[in-house]
Amino acid sequence: MTASFAAALLAARAAAGDQHYPQSALYLVATPIGNLADVTLRALHVLSLVDAIACEDTRHTAALLHGWGLERGATPWLPVHQHNELQAAQGVLDRLAAGQRVAYVSDAGTPAISDPGARLVAAARAGGFVVVPVPGVSSVTAALSVAGIHDSHSNGFVFQGFLPTRAGERATAVQALAQELRAVVLFEAPHRIVALADALVALGSRPLTLLRELTKRFEQIETLRANGLPAWLHADAQRLRGEFVLVLHPAPAAESVDDSGRVLKILLAELPVALAVKLAVELTGGKRNALYQGALAFKRTQID
C-alpha cells in the first residue's frame, strides 16, 4: 500500500520554498534507507526543484519519486554509479556549467559515504561549482543511537563500512579491529554476513549490536557477544536475510589502574598536575577524574 504524500509535498514547499537554492549547484540528497516516510521535507522540495537528477540506479530512484507522488517524466535522468562515476561526472559538470541545478542520490541513505558520489563531488568542487548537502537518514548514526554505548574511556567511533571480501584480507582487518578501542560501525550484505560473523569470532566476548533491515518492516536489533554471532544467525533462517549494520562496542581499556598510577607518578615528577594528568590519560586510557584525584593526593603526600 502506497501512502499519499500530497500533504507532505505541500508542507515541503511551505517549509523549504523560501530558502535559497543556487543555480549551477550539485545537491547531495539523502534518501530513506528503507522507510519512505523518513524522507525530509527539504529533500522533497529539492527533488521537485532541480533541472536534472543523477542517481546510482535510475529505476530505483524513479520508483522512490513515484512513491512520494513526484512525477517528473520530463526530468533528465543521469546514471552515476560505481562503474562509471568518473566518466559520468563530466555530463553532470556540463549541466552545472549551463546553470542547471542537479541533484545526486544513491540507492539509499547519504551519498558519497559508503555509496558512490565522492568522485562526483570532488569533480564538481574542482570545477568551481557549489555542492550543497541535503542531509537526512543515516544508518551510521541510527545504529549508534540505539547501541547504548556509554563507556567513559571511549572517544568517538570509527566508520569502517564493508570489510574486504577475501578471507585473508578480512581476517587481517578483524585483527586490526581487535586493537581499536573506539566503537566501530560495519556494513554487510546478506550473502556475506555468515563469513563476516565467522571472522568476528576472533574478537571473543567483545559486545556488538546488530541491526538487520534497519527502518524496514522486519527491523531487528540485538546486542550480543562477537563470538556468539554465528550461532545467533543460524538459529533462525530469517536472520540471514536483509541488509546489516553492526556496531562493535569499544574494547576494554588495555591498561590497568596500577599502570595508570605508575605512569602518572613519573609524569608528576617533571610536569604540572594538569599536564601530567592529560598525558597519563592519553598514554594509558585511564579515567581522567580518577587520575586527577590521584595526582592531588600524591602531591599532598609530597608536601606533608
Side-chain angles (χ1 to χ4, degrees):
M1 177 180 176
T2 302
S4 171
F5 278 80
L9 295 175
L10 290 174
R13 192 175 301 116
D18 290 339
Q19 298 176 20
H20 177 55
Y21 298 93
Q23 295 179 313
S24 296
L26 174 66
Y27 293 83
L28 269 284
V29 182
T31 55
I33 57 178
N35 193 318
L36 278 179
D38 286 339
V39 68
T40 67
L41 295 178
R42 187 164 174 239
L44 289 176
H45 183 72
V46 168
L47 290 171
S48 69
L49 175 73
V50 294
D51 302 293
I53 297 176
C55 51
E56 189 175 0
D57 185 326
T58 57
R59 293 169 300 179
H60 179 83
T61 302
L64 278 180
L65 268 62
H66 176 75
W68 294 320
L70 283 173
E71 304 297 346
R72 302 211 46 178
T75 300
W77 295 91
L78 311 174
V80 180
H81 47 75
Q82 63 175 336
H83 302 297
N84 77 340
E85 188 172 353
L86 285 176
Q87 298 82 358
Q90 187 57 52
V92 175
L93 298 186
D94 291 343
R95 291 183 176 276
L96 297 179
Q100 294 188 8
R101 302 180 182 96
V102 180
Y104 181 72
V105 300
S106 57
D107 284 351
T110 303
I113 305 300
S114 187
D115 291 334
R119 291 183 175 90
L120 174 60
V121 168
R125 288 197 175 281
F129 299 108
V130 175
V131 180
V132 180
V134 183
V137 178
S138 167
S139 58
V140 175
T141 53
L144 286 166
S145 72
V146 296
I149 295 171
H150 56 84
D151 302 64
S152 58
H153 71 270
S154 175
N155 182 22
F157 69 93
V158 176
F159 172 64
Q160 185 69 42
F162 292 94
L163 292 187
T165 57
R166 294 182 178 179
E169 295 175 355
R170 185 168 53 240
T172 300
V174 170
Q175 291 177 6
L177 293 182
Q179 307 304 315
E180 177 57 67
L181 296 180
R182 294 167 292 181
V184 181
V185 180
L186 302 170
F187 289 166
E188 196 50 274
H191 64 282
R192 290 197 301 264
I193 188 61
V194 171
L196 176 62
D198 290 341
L200 293 178
V201 167
L203 299 180
S205 61
R206 187 164 171 179
L208 64 82
T209 297
L210 176 143
L211 303 97
R212 186 179 71 86
E213 291 290 84
L214 192 58
T215 79
K216 300 176 184 176
R217 180 180 179 185
F218 297 107
E219 176 182 87
Q220 191 169 19
I221 302 172
E222 296 286 343
T223 296
L224 60 160
R225 303 294 180 181
N227 54 13
L229 181 55
W232 184 86
L233 287 171
H234 289 298
D236 185 344
Q238 293 295 324
R239 294 175 179 176
L240 299 173
R241 299 181 178 181
E243 302 296 326
F244 294 86
V245 181
L246 300 94
V247 180
L248 188 64
H249 289 224
E255 299 291 334
S256 68
V257 175
D258 289 341
D259 287 338
S260 299
R262 178 178 58 82
V263 171
L264 178 63
K265 289 180 180 179
I266 295 173
L267 294 171
L268 284 171
E270 304 293 337
L271 300 170
V273 169
L275 182 55
V277 170
K278 180 177 183 294
L279 291 175
V281 170
E282 294 178 357
L283 291 170
T284 69
K287 295 182 178 180
R288 183 187 181 284
N289 288 342
L291 286 171
Y292 184 73
Q293 294 301 321
L296 294 180
F298 179 73
K299 284 293 187 180
R300 283 196 294 269
T301 63
Q302 297 299 105
I303 294 174
D304 294 342

